[in-house]
Amino acid sequence: MNPPLISERENADSELQQVQARLEEIVAASGRVQVAQDNLAAAQALARGHMADPKVRFLLLRLKEAGGLNEGMSEQWATLLRECPDDLEIVRYRATRLVKERHVEDALALVDRHLPASAESPARLFARAKLLNDIRAYEQSDELFRRLILQHTDRNIRVEFAKRLRKRGLLADAFDVISPVAKHLAPGSKAAELANGLASDYAFYQRLEPEAALAGKDIRIVSMKHAILHFRNRQIPEYSPDKPVSVALVTGSLGPGGAERQLTRLAGELARMADAPNPRPVDVPMKPEKVEVLVKQHTEPAGSTKKQGLDFFLSVLVKAQIPVTEINKLPAISVAHQSVPDGSLTRLLEQLPPPVHYGVTRLAPVLRASTFDVVSLWQDGTCLFGALAALLAGAPTIHLVFRGLPPNIRKDRFREEYPELYQALAQVPGVHFVSNSRKAAEAYAEWLGIPIVRFHVLYNGVPDLATDAATTDQEKWEAFQASTADATETIGGVFRLEPDKRPQLWIKLAALYLKQRPQARFVIVGDGRLHDNIVALAEELCVMDRLLLVGLSNHVGYWYSQMDAKVLLSRYEGLPNVLIEAQLLGVPVVSTPAGGAGECFEEDQTGHLLGDVEHPDLHEACDKVVSIVDRVRADESLKAQSRHRAQTLFSLEAMLAKFLSLCMPVMAVSDNDESMELPPMRLMQA
C-alpha cells in the first residue's frame, strides 16, 4: 500500500485540529450539568472518526464528567491513563474520579506514583501540591505549598496557593499568602486581579467579623450567616385569621422515606381543607387557600443505572391534583438579575456555599413570584438550600422542620454550614423551629444553644390502618400458621432491612427469645439490602423454621393484627411511624430509645423502652417483650388505651390542626405540647 500523500496527511491533521478546537469550545461552554448533557450527542458526532486520538477522548470524558454521567467513568479514565501515562491532566481527572467514588487511598497512591514526595524537581513538587489540593488532601497540600514558598521565590507558587485557598473559601488565608507579592504582580494580569479581589473582599468582611474570626474560616459560611442576619429586623405584616394562607411544602425528594410520607399526607389534608366549601373549623386558627409542593429532584439522575425511587410519592400528589415543581428543572437566575435592593446583601449573596447558592438562584425566584404566606422546609438539607431563598422571597412564615436527631449525631450528614445557619435563623422574625418529637427538639436545642421554648412539636399524622389482606398475604400467614401450629405468641417487626434498623440484631433477639419461650414465632415485614444476610444468620442460629420474612406488603395493618408484640431495634429514628401504627391497633411495643420512640407509647403500659440505643441489651429486650405480652394479655383494656392515645396525638386531624397553628408569622414561645401531659422538657439557656 502506498503511503498517503503529504497533502492528504496535512488535510487529516487539519481536520483533527479543528475537531479538537471545537470540542474544547464545547467543553468550555458546558459548565452546567444540563448543558453538558445536551451538548454530548453533538460532541460525540463531531468526534466520530477521530476516537483513536487521545486528546479527543480526553475532551469527551471531560464533557461526560461535567454532565454527571458517572457510569464506568473510573475505568475509562484508567484506560486513557494507561495509554498516556505521563499526562498529568489525565492523572488529575483519574485521581479526582477516585475521590468522587470514595477511593481516597487509591487516589493518594496514584499521586505518589506519578508525582512522588521524594521528587527533587521544584516543578514536580509544585505539580504535586496542586494535585493534592485537587483531591482534597488539603493538609498535605497546604504543608507542601508553604514549604515551597519558603524555599523558592517564584511568585506563581503564592498565586496558585492563594487561588486554591480562595476557592475553598479561606479568604483571610489566601490574602495572607498573596499580600507579600501583590505589589510586584503585573498590572492587569490575572494574578494582579486575584490579589486586588482578595484585598477588596478582605476589607469588606473585616467590617462584619473580627479579624481573628476570619482566619481559617470559610468565607462562604460567613456570607450565608450575614445574609440571613440582614433580615433580623424585618417587618412582618399583621396576621388576619380570616385570610386563607398559601403554603409551599419544600423537600429534597419524594422517595419512600418517613419524612416524604408525612409531607405527602400533610399536603393532601391541606388540599382537602382548601377545597372544602365550608368555613374553617373553630379549633383551626386559619384555612389554607392553596398548597404546592416543591421538590429538589424527583426524576432519576441522568446516567443512573439504579432506580432510586425519588418519585415514590409523586403519583399520590398528582392524583390529589397538588402542583409539584421540580427545583432542579428551574432555570438558575443569578443574583445580579434578581431584585436585591441592598448592595452589601448582593455582595454576600455572590459568595454563598454551593447548596445555599443553589436555593437562592433557583428557588428564591419561584417563591417570590408565587408570594407564599408559608414556606415549610422539611429536613436539614432542604433548610440549607431553602431558608435564605424563602427570606429573599419575603415569606412571612418559614418553618424549619426537623424529622429526626440533629446532623451532628450522624457525621455522614453533617455540614459545617448547619450551626451558623440555624443560629442566624433563630434571630429572624417569622422563622419557626419545628420537630416531629420532643426528644429531637431537645437534641437540636442543646446542640445549637437555642432555648428549647423556640421549638414546636409537630407529631406525625398516621391514618387508621385497615386489617384486611390481599390473597397472597393471607396465604403466607396461613402456611406459616400451619407450620408453627404450636405457637404461644407472635413477635413481629416492621422495618426496612437496612443497617440503621439493625435486622441482624433482631434475628439474634429472636434466637435468644426462643431459649426462653421455644414455641414463639416471629414475623418481619419489609425488605432491603440485608435480606440475604438475614436469611443466612437465621439459618445459622436455627431460627428459620420459626420465622416468616413477609417482604414488602401494602397490607401492613393485617400483619400488625397477627402480632402479640412489635419490636424495633433501630439505631436512628425520628418519630417511628411503625410504633404509632402498632399502637393504633392495640399492639404493645418494645423499642430502643432512638429519636422520639419513647413518645409513641405509654411506658410500662403499652410498651417498653430499652436502656441503651447504641448497645441494646438483648437479655433486657427479651424480658421486656415477655413482660409486655403477658401484661396486655392479662388486661385487654390496655389495647383500647393504646388506641385512644395514638388517635389523640397522632391522627391526621391532629397533625393538620397543629400545622395550621404554626402558620402565624408571629407566635408566642412554644409550650412543647405540654398540654398533652407528656413529661416536661427542661429549658435550655441560649
Side-chain angles (χ1 to χ4, degrees):
M1 177 180 278
N2 294 325
L5 298 173
I6 293 175
S7 60
E8 292 175 341
R9 290 200 303 271
E10 288 175 344
N11 288 338
D13 290 344
S14 177
E15 183 183 349
L16 176 60
Q17 290 167 3
Q18 290 176 11
V19 169
Q20 291 172 344
R22 180 60 185 137
L23 286 173
E24 286 178 335
E25 291 173 359
I26 291 173
V27 171
S30 301
R32 289 179 56 198
V33 171
Q34 192 58 54
V35 175
Q37 292 174 5
D38 293 343
N39 287 342
L40 183 59
Q44 289 173 325
L46 186 66
R48 197 171 293 121
H50 302 281
M51 294 301 292
D53 181 63
K55 186 173 181 179
V56 169
R57 299 208 313 277
F58 170 73
L59 291 166
L60 281 178
L61 284 179
R62 282 184 60 188
L63 191 59
K64 288 182 180 180
E65 285 275 5
L69 305 175
N70 301 323
E71 190 69 24
M73 286 297 294
S74 185
E75 185 52 42
Q76 291 179 66
W77 281 117
T79 300
L80 190 58
L81 184 58
R82 285 193 291 271
E83 187 175 331
C84 308
D86 299 323
D87 191 318
L88 292 182
E89 271 293 281
I90 299 174
V91 172
R92 182 169 75 87
Y93 276 97
R94 167 65 172 150
T96 54
R97 169 50 53 185
L98 286 168
V99 171
K100 288 176 183 175
E101 297 178 357
R102 301 185 180 182
H103 301 303
V104 178
E105 293 301 321
D106 291 341
L108 286 168
L110 185 70
V111 174
D112 287 340
R113 188 159 61 250
H114 288 270
L115 293 166
S118 59
E120 296 181 0
S121 165
R124 301 284 289 180
L125 290 173
F126 185 29
R128 174 181 170 86
K130 292 188 285 185
L131 187 48
L132 285 170
N133 181 277
D134 292 343
I135 65 169
R136 305 173 199 165
Y138 296 133
E139 187 174 343
Q140 294 183 49
S141 172
D142 292 357
E143 189 276 330
L144 182 52
F145 264 120
R146 296 188 188 282
R147 180 155 55 88
L148 289 169
I149 286 170
L150 290 173
Q151 295 174 348
H152 305 280
T153 57
D154 187 351
R155 295 171 196 160
N156 194 41
I157 298 175
R158 285 184 177 270
V159 171
E160 290 294 326
F161 189 26
K163 187 192 303 181
R164 283 161 171 77
L165 288 170
R166 184 63 180 91
K167 189 175 180 180
R168 288 156 53 190
L170 301 176
L171 170 64
D173 304 70
F175 176 75
D176 287 343
V177 165
I178 207 166
S179 291
V181 299
K183 64 183 180 182
H184 303 295
L185 300 172
S189 66
K190 288 186 177 180
E193 289 176 5
L194 173 67
N196 292 336
L198 287 170
S200 175
D201 286 345
Y202 192 51
F204 172 75
Y205 284 98
Q206 280 182 308
R207 297 197 294 269
L208 302 174
E209 293 278 342
E211 187 173 337
L214 292 174
K217 186 76 172 182
D218 190 336
I219 210 68
R220 296 168 297 187
I221 298 177
V222 176
S223 295
M224 175 195 71
K225 169 185 158 183
H226 285 280
I228 292 169
L229 293 177
H230 175 85
F231 297 93
R232 66 182 143 189
N233 296 318
R234 71 173 185 155
Q235 299 298 308
I236 297 177
E238 289 188 18
Y239 155 69
S240 172
D242 297 323
K243 178 186 175 296
V245 293
S246 58
V247 180
L249 300 171
V250 190
T251 187
S253 88
L254 295 173
E260 293 84 355
R261 179 180 293 105
Q262 288 303 308
L263 181 143
T264 302
R265 285 174 179 168
L266 177 61
E269 293 301 307
L270 287 167
R272 276 191 284 276
M273 181 174 280
D275 293 339
N278 50 303
R280 62 182 174 88
V282 293
D283 59 337
V284 175
M286 63 187 66
K287 186 175 178 179
E289 179 181 42
K290 67 173 182 177
V291 59
E292 296 186 19
V293 172
L294 297 98
V295 56
K296 185 177 182 183
Q297 183 170 2
H298 61 66
T299 57
E300 295 296 326
S304 175
T305 59
K306 186 178 180 181
K307 187 171 173 62
Q308 301 178 45
L310 302 177
D311 61 349
F312 187 83
F313 288 108
L314 179 62
S315 61
V316 179
L317 294 168
V318 172
K319 185 177 180 181
Q321 297 183 319
I322 296 169
V324 179
T325 298
E326 189 170 18
I327 303 169
N328 272 1
K329 298 289 179 67
L330 297 172
I333 300 175
S334 68
V335 173
H337 291 90
Q338 295 188 43
S339 177
V340 183
D342 187 280
S344 295
L345 178 59
T346 300
R347 190 164 185 175
L348 291 168
L349 295 177
E350 290 170 344
Q351 303 280 350
L352 295 170
V356 188
H357 182 267
Y358 168 93
V360 166
T361 55
R362 286 176 172 79
L363 182 59
V366 73
L367 292 179
R368 188 183 290 113
S370 299
T371 60
F372 290 103
D373 301 298
V374 181
V375 176
S376 190
L377 305 164
W378 286 52
Q379 305 199 94
D380 295 289
T382 308
C383 296
L384 185 59
F385 75 74
L388 182 54
L391 287 172
L392 287 165
T397 302
I398 300 169
H399 296 161
L400 312 175
V401 185
F402 309 128
R403 308 302 298 176
L405 295 176
N408 67 313
I409 304 291
R410 303 182 65 174
K411 301 303 181 185
D412 59 322
R413 299 187 179 182
F414 180 76
R415 295 185 66 100
E416 291 183 8
E417 296 96 317
Y418 285 142
E420 301 271 11
L421 174 82
Y422 293 135
Q423 288 164 354
L425 288 167
Q427 301 180 53
V428 178
V431 174
H432 306 321
F433 292 78
V434 183
S435 181
N436 67 341
S437 75
R438 297 176 65 206
K439 180 70 175 290
E442 189 173 30
Y444 270 94
E446 187 167 5
W447 169 46
L448 298 168
I450 296 173
I452 192 63
V453 293
R454 288 296 312 278
F455 289 78
H456 303 268
V457 176
L458 175 66
Y459 279 134
N460 294 352
V462 181
D464 288 329
L465 293 175
T467 56
D468 61 331
T471 302
T472 53
D473 288 315
Q474 286 181 320
E475 290 173 349
K476 285 180 183 178
W477 175 243
E478 288 169 3
F480 187 52
Q481 272 188 312
S483 67
T484 55
D486 62 339
T488 52
E489 62 233 64
T490 302
I491 311 302
V494 181
F495 49 82
R496 290 175 289 108
L497 304 183
E498 297 291 333
D500 284 357
K501 306 301 181 182
R502 297 195 285 211
Q504 297 102 321
L505 196 65
W506 207 97
I507 297 297
K508 291 177 181 178
L509 172 65
L512 187 62
Y513 194 91
L514 285 170
K515 292 180 179 178
Q516 292 189 39
R517 299 205 180 187
Q519 292 175 301
R521 62 187 169 202
F522 305 88
V523 175
I524 296 177
V525 183
D527 203 356
R529 291 175 293 169
L530 296 179
H531 176 273
D532 292 345
N533 303 66
I534 299 312
V535 171
L537 182 61
E539 290 175 345
E540 180 186 339
L541 298 178
C542 303
V543 176
M544 205 65 205
D545 62 335
R546 309 294 299 185
L547 172 67
L548 174 62
L549 296 174
V550 175
L552 296 175
S553 174
N554 292 321
H555 298 269
V556 177
Y558 172 77
W559 291 105
Y560 281 123
S561 70
Q562 312 304 329
M563 299 177 190
D564 293 293
K566 185 216 175 301
V567 179
L568 186 69
L569 298 176
S570 300
R571 176 178 281 110
Y572 302 111
E573 288 286 351
L575 188 74
N577 283 340
V578 291
L579 298 183
I580 299 170
E581 291 168 348
Q583 294 288 285
L584 283 169
L585 290 171
V587 180
V589 298
V590 172
S591 173
T592 57
E599 298 167 49
C600 298
F601 56 86
E602 291 183 90
E603 176 63 32
D604 204 33
Q605 295 296 310
T606 60
H608 286 301
L609 209 62
L610 301 178
D612 192 349
V613 69
E614 284 298 325
H615 305 287
D617 185 332
L618 294 186
H619 291 281
E620 177 196 14
C622 280
D623 292 343
K624 288 193 170 182
V625 173
V626 169
S627 168
I628 202 67
V629 167
D630 291 345
R631 175 184 285 271
V632 174
R633 281 182 172 175
D635 185 357
E636 282 287 322
S637 69
L638 291 175
K639 290 187 176 182
Q641 183 178 324
S642 168
R643 286 192 288 269
H644 175 74
R645 183 180 184 276
Q647 288 167 345
T648 301
L649 294 184
F650 308 114
S651 67
L652 294 178
E653 293 78 11
M655 176 180 65
L656 179 61
K658 184 60 185 282
F659 178 86
L660 289 170
S661 76
L662 300 173
C663 291
M664 293 178 284
V666 180
M667 297 174 56
V669 295
S670 167
D671 62 3
N672 299 294
D673 298 324
E674 299 211 1
S675 61
M676 296 178 180
E677 299 181 352
L678 297 173
M681 298 180 72
R682 59 191 175 88
L683 295 181
M684 305 291 301
Q685 298 299 314

